[in-house]
Amino acid sequence: MTPPEGRLALFGTSADPPTRGHRALLEGLLGLFPAVVTWASDNPLKQHGAPLELRTALLAALVGAIDDPRLSLEPELSSPWAVETLERARARWPQRELVFVVGSDLAGQIPRWKRADALLRSCRLGLARREGWPLQTADLERLRDLGASLDLLPLAIPPSASSRIRERPDPAQVPSELWPVLLQHNLYGLSQP
């Protein structure tokens, strides 16, 4: 389904597993954009705790629970390289203004991404502040130097992190809609609260 015309928020995540922070971000983006698409991907800078297929199933459960027709899961956008994902999105929605959304924790990493300059010149970059990961002025300047058009999104995302759940399983940080998939596949050492 093609989202309505206008700006389109693109939010890729490792979803390893999705957290309450992911849910808050997706719901927040729906308050700012006419349409939001999301997908799970393999991040070459991370070790993953579950295969991509299961992480996509977890993200699908989250998207289904949010239950908003303006939010869609688009697994065909998935690539380990953000620039390839953006090329796929541009081919699919050529008339849309694409806003590639990342959390503030990634702002300093983006310049090291494959073809970061091409990525940043071909879309707007939406930065969502995550509690515990403040945006650094030097990171913002470096992104602008690479050609980024930045949108500092008026969102405050809770400090939950997938990596922390994998290290120290905390059921309180996991959205309830994920439990059927988590338990069926015995993921992340989590047991339902």
Side-chain angles (χ1 to χ4, degrees), residues 167-183:
E167 292 165 7
R168 291 186 314 274
D170 181 0
Q173 294 303 317
V174 177
S176 60
E177 55 271 16
L178 304 185
W179 285 107
V181 177
L182 290 168
L183 296 175

Side-chain angles (χ1 to χ4, degrees), residues 61-158:
L62 183 63
V63 168
I66 293 172
D67 193 26
D68 188 313
R70 298 172 302 134
L71 173 62
S72 64
L73 179 68
E74 305 289 345
E76 65 277 3
L77 295 179
S78 182
S79 167
W81 314 110
V83 70
E84 290 178 7
T85 290
L86 191 61
E87 289 166 358
R88 292 172 187 174
R90 174 74 55 221
R92 182 153 178 201
W93 298 288
Q95 302 303 316
R96 303 298 297 267
E97 179 183 17
L98 302 179
V99 181
F100 196 87
V101 176
V102 298
S104 56
D105 55 311
L106 296 180
Q109 292 179 15
I110 294 171
R112 297 191 310 269
W113 289 4
K114 180 179 181 180
R115 296 176 48 215
D117 55 340
L119 168 75
L120 294 171
R121 286 193 309 266
S122 61
C123 67
R124 296 195 65 77
L125 181 65
L127 293 171
R129 289 179 177 88
R130 287 182 64 192
E131 292 177 30
W133 287 274
L135 287 167
Q136 303 298 320
T137 302
D139 291 337
L140 297 177
E141 289 174 3
R142 187 150 184 229
L143 290 168
R144 287 186 182 105
D145 289 345
L146 287 171
S149 297
L150 298 177
D151 291 331
L152 301 180
L153 303 176
L155 301 172
I157 307 306

Side-chain angles (χ1 to χ4, degrees), residues 17 165 168-172 174 179 182-183 186-192:
I165 291 173
R168 291 186 314 274
D170 181 0
V174 177
W179 285 107
L182 290 168
L183 296 175
N186 193 30
L187 296 173
Y188 307 107
L190 289 163
S191 55
Q192 194 164 8

